[in-house]
Amino acid sequence: MRLMIVDDEERTRELLRHHIMWTEIGITEVKTARNGQDALQICSEWRPDIVLCDVRMPKMDGIEFAKRLRWTDALCKIVFLSGYSDKDYLLSAIQLKAADY
């Protein structure tokens, strides 16, 4: 399985990428992106099975990214990560059929 980590904080991206034993849970490839815009570009050529995505990011936030990803890939599992407890973002995540928030 393929995993994409999308977060504007480099430290968060790198910690998630390098400090979790992804291969032990069946993840064979991991890529990262610093915002939704970069992630969409990567996803156009490399289709992840799972996306771990921050909600608030510059250029394109996680909700907009997920909406656009759903147009081309309805089966990809999306898990939103956030340090905020914004109900509007949560409702948007639910409407996008996010796997978790």
Side-chain angles (χ1 to χ4, degrees), residues 19-57:
H19 293 287
I20 295 176
M21 301 298 183
W22 295 112
T23 55
E24 290 181 8
I25 58 171
I27 303 294
T28 56
E29 297 178 63
V30 179
K31 290 196 178 194
T32 64
R34 62 181 170 217
N35 59 54
Q37 191 174 29
D38 291 346
L40 276 180
Q41 185 176 359
I42 293 168
C43 288
S44 70
E45 299 172 8
W46 184 82
R47 297 193 91 130
D49 299 295
I50 303 168
V51 173
L52 294 179
C53 186
D54 189 11
V55 174
R56 292 189 182 186
M57 296 178 288

Side-chain angles (χ1 to χ4, degrees), residues 21 24 36 52 60 66 73 76 97:
M21 301 298 183
E24 290 181 8
L52 294 179
M60 182 185 298
D73 190 345
C76 180
K97 298 180 182 167

